[in-house]
Each structure stands twice: as structure tokens, then as C-alpha cells.
Amino acid sequence: MARTSDTDQGELDRFEALSDSWWEAGRGLRALHDITPARAGYVASRATLRGRRALDVGCGGGILSE
């Protein structure tokens, strides 16, 4: 990624290092896995998604969907 005045190369490098294991249980983003039941329950209580497709845009790690 091209560096601009509002990027932190250390942060870019950190997330790049996590990218191959992003969704592996017990790895770098374990906290997101741990709260998946609560996230899914929240969405299910507010929307009927069975048989539909959903896109979670700009959520930063799949906070509302996987």
C-alpha cells in the first residue's frame, strides 16, 4: 500500500502479518471470534436474513458479519 501522510507503516505491517490467519480461531483476532454469538444474535434480532445475502461494509474486521 502506498504511504500517505495519514498512514502508519507499523499498523499496516501489523495487519499485513495477521492477514493470512485473520479468521483462524484462536489466532490474532480471537476476540472477534469470541463475540460472534453475541453479534449474530444482535443481527438476528433485528433482521431476517435467511435466504438472503448481506454485505457488511466498512466494519473493521467483520464486527457485524463474517
Side-chain angles (χ1 to χ4, degrees):
M1 175 178 276
R3 185 176 176 101
T4 65
S5 63
D6 64 343
T7 60
D8 179 330
Q9 190 61 48
E11 285 293 293
L12 295 174
D13 294 343
R14 184 169 73 95
F15 283 99
E16 178 65 27
L18 285 171
S19 66
D20 288 337
S21 62
W22 193 260
W23 284 115
E24 291 179 23
R27 297 293 300 266
L29 295 175
R30 179 179 176 177
L32 290 179
H33 291 283
D34 291 347
I35 64 170
T36 293
R39 294 183 289 145
Y42 174 83
V43 172
S45 73
R46 287 160 176 75
T48 302
L49 298 177
R50 185 174 299 271
R52 297 188 174 139
R53 293 169 49 174
L55 175 63
D56 186 2
V57 177
C59 63
I63 298 300
L64 292 176
S65 69
E66 295 179 5

